[in-house]
Amino acid sequence: MLFSLPVFLIKKRKFLFPYLLLVVLYLLSIIWYYRNYGTLMPLASYLMIYNLNGLGGSIIDSINVKDILLILPTAVYFIVYHFYICPRRTSIRIYVALPLALSLSFIIGMTVFSYKKMSQTEGDKNRFRQTPVRGIKQYGIIQYWISQVKAYNPLSSDEIQLATSIANKYVAVSARGHITETSSRQNLIIILVESLCDWPLNRQIEGEDITPCLNALLRDSCCVYLPKVLPQVKDGRSSDAQLLINTGLLPINTGAVSALYSTNYFLSLPKALKLQGYYTASFICDAKDFWSQGTMSESFGFDKLYDNLGVPLNPVKRSDELLFERSIQIIQELPEPFYAQLVTLSMHKPYTEPVEVSCFQNMAFRTEEAKYYSILAHYTDRHIGNFINQLKQCGLYKNTMIVIVGDHDDCTFNKFEGRNECLLSDRFVPLIVLNANKKLLVNNFVIGQVDIYPSLLDLMHVDDYCWKGLGTSFFKQQIGGAVYHNGDCIGQDNDSIISSLSEKWNESDLLIRANAFAKIDVQ
């Protein structure tokens, strides 16, 4: 009814049908985005047109024949309007005024009613932040838009003051860190693997390992392996993973940090390491404007961003081999000690065709998606193994700590098992640390991605840095629990701990939106 209101007012067909086309495209975008990410597309993300580059395969894979049911009403209306509606406009105001007034009255009445109903339930005030799809089912799309507008509104002076006090609570201003002797410092390489879930590791299909290279690395005596890392990315997806690992902050409640706050001042792992004389660089497959990675890398404090290393992305699924081949050449020339972040791309959706001839093609899987995902995992695994071997050949491996971690889930374990319901335990991504200078007595507990940043500070001996992040180093305190962006918790049943972990989400949202670190004396 809401979308149809302009039809009453638009008299010229050249304006009417472009409007209806935009409405259909908007509704289709909601469906297609949901099929990929299981949530609604934030309004701010519609401004990130440059992110469409390279996503054609995912969009095509999202299209379903049932989508014609959404297009059909507009098509029928066009036919009726063109052939049967009389073009004469005599007494048009009489025919328009009554239905327009009734429609507006109904829409306003329902909006006010649903808003009051939502306000009466304390738990539903955050419904659109935690579970927007459920929120729309309960309270309608207008309330969703209202919640989005509120989320993008500037913070009040009280909220800014609260954010500053939160920042001061966490930041140890006096512990700035000083440059120390760097000759014996260990290099750091983080490989952020696109969509790598934990379930393919140490798993065989008809006697064949899905990830033989990673499996071999796990058997190393100097390897730390955590198989139960809950991904905590949100609307920013892969860009949120870089935020979590490099800053120890959680994503904002609505929208992507890379879209809305990419120029913020962040306290980060690159900046902590630069205080110790490190050179820092980021290596990505795609262009620097994808997820605003150019701006974000500057805000994180990287000295250099090497982009387009996966180009030509034809096909995009083979970009990882180009990334590793080109990165190793550059890394060998970096001044030591260095921190290098590599972000892969080949395991991105869709999972509809093999990237190469594979032994898994003719094997039995419960779903085709799981089969092609396994083929991609096998492909990326091989090139990670080649990259590690090249580090050994050029003499860098021995003095380099290598961290391999999945950025988020996609083909979750339930899809491998053929189950429809997706549990939090199906979403786990792995964390692997090679040449770790610390050992874990227990490595089978649950952590969140937000716990990786403080743990890396520990591993790199820069835990005296002023910002420890919102997580907890698993070398110091094994809480064994994590909270997903919808408020669900796994690995912990203590109510007070769950409440504390949940509150971190709101604190992080305030810290980022207020650009709080730029307002306190840490620079």
Side-chain angles (χ1 to χ4, degrees), residues 85-92 95:
I85 293 181
C86 179
R88 291 180 297 172
R89 295 291 178 177
T90 55
S91 303
I92 190 68
Y95 293 105

Side-chain angles (χ1 to χ4, degrees), residues 162-380:
L162 175 59
T164 305
S165 67
I166 293 172
N168 280 315
K169 177 180 74 172
Y170 284 107
V171 173
V173 178
S174 60
R176 303 289 182 91
H178 303 282
I179 293 179
T180 58
E181 177 61 39
T182 61
S183 59
S184 61
R185 304 290 291 194
Q186 202 175 20
N187 300 318
L188 173 64
I189 295 177
I190 294 180
I191 304 175
L192 196 58
V193 185
E194 170 69 38
S195 303
L196 177 64
C197 291
D198 183 72
W199 65 261
L201 275 65
N202 289 323
R203 185 174 298 279
Q204 292 187 336
I205 307 296
E206 297 184 16
E208 293 287 342
D209 286 334
I210 299 177
T211 57
C213 296
L214 291 178
N215 296 350
L217 295 173
L218 296 182
R219 294 191 287 269
D220 191 293
S221 60
C222 294
C223 173
V224 169
Y225 170 44
L226 283 86
K228 296 182 179 180
V229 181
L230 181 69
Q232 293 175 304
V233 303
K234 200 171 180 289
D235 300 331
R237 303 298 290 171
S238 298
S239 66
D240 281 348
Q242 294 188 48
L243 174 81
L244 281 153
I245 290 170
N246 283 291
T247 71
L249 289 166
L250 290 154
I252 53 177
N253 292 339
T254 299
V257 174
S258 59
L260 301 170
Y261 303 102
S262 61
T263 59
N264 272 21
Y265 179 82
F266 294 100
L267 299 173
S268 66
L269 178 62
K271 292 177 181 178
L273 292 172
K274 284 167 71 173
L275 287 173
Q276 303 299 323
Y278 278 70
Y279 182 82
T280 59
S282 180
F283 301 78
I284 60 176
C285 291
D286 34 37
K288 62 183 180 181
D289 59 355
F290 191 77
W291 286 120
S292 304
Q293 290 181 96
T295 308
M296 290 294 288
S297 66
E298 290 182 19
S299 298
F300 291 159
F302 282 104
D303 292 311
K304 179 72 174 178
L305 172 68
Y306 297 91
D307 69 332
N308 283 321
L309 295 181
V311 173
L313 303 177
N314 188 23
V316 67
K317 295 300 186 185
R318 303 193 71 89
S319 59
D320 283 1
E321 56 191 279
L322 294 176
L323 170 72
F324 288 117
E325 287 174 6
R326 293 169 178 175
S327 295
I328 190 65
Q329 299 172 15
I330 300 170
I331 288 173
Q332 292 180 68
E333 303 299 324
L334 295 181
E336 296 187 60
F338 60 78
Y339 161 33
Q341 173 187 261
L342 283 72
V343 184
T344 75
L345 183 59
S346 291
M347 289 181 65
H348 197 287
K349 279 189 171 184
Y351 310 119
T352 55
E353 58 184 358
V355 66
E356 58 186 359
V357 177
S358 171
C359 59
F360 298 110
Q361 280 180 253
N362 297 320
M363 293 185 183
F365 285 79
R366 287 185 174 88
T367 65
E368 289 293 290
E369 182 177 356
K371 174 192 291 186
Y372 294 126
Y373 176 85
S374 298
I375 293 173
L376 283 170
H378 189 77
Y379 163 84
T380 296

Side-chain angles (χ1 to χ4, degrees), residues 36 80-81 90 121 157 163 288 294 365 399 418 485 489 508 520:
N36 274 289
V80 172
Y81 185 95
T90 55
T121 308
S157 57
K288 62 183 180 181
F365 285 79
N399 193 44
H485 64 73
C489 183
S508 187
I520 60 177

Side-chain angles (χ1 to χ4, degrees), residues 403-427:
V403 178
I404 304 170
V405 61
D407 64 349
H408 55 74
D409 60 294
D410 249 332
C411 184
T412 46
F413 186 53
N414 62 297
K415 295 177 181 178
F416 173 76
E417 290 196 326
R419 292 181 285 108
N420 290 325
E421 183 184 10
C422 181
L423 307 173
L424 285 186
S425 57
D426 294 322
R427 298 185 179 277

Side-chain angles (χ1 to χ4, degrees), residues 38 41 47 53 64 67 89 110 163 206 208 217 236 241 290 339 387 464:
M41 186 171 176
L47 301 176
N53 185 32
N64 191 294
D67 298 343
R89 295 291 178 177
M110 290 302 298
E206 297 184 16
E208 293 287 342
L217 295 173
F290 191 77
Y339 161 33
F387 177 73
D464 61 344

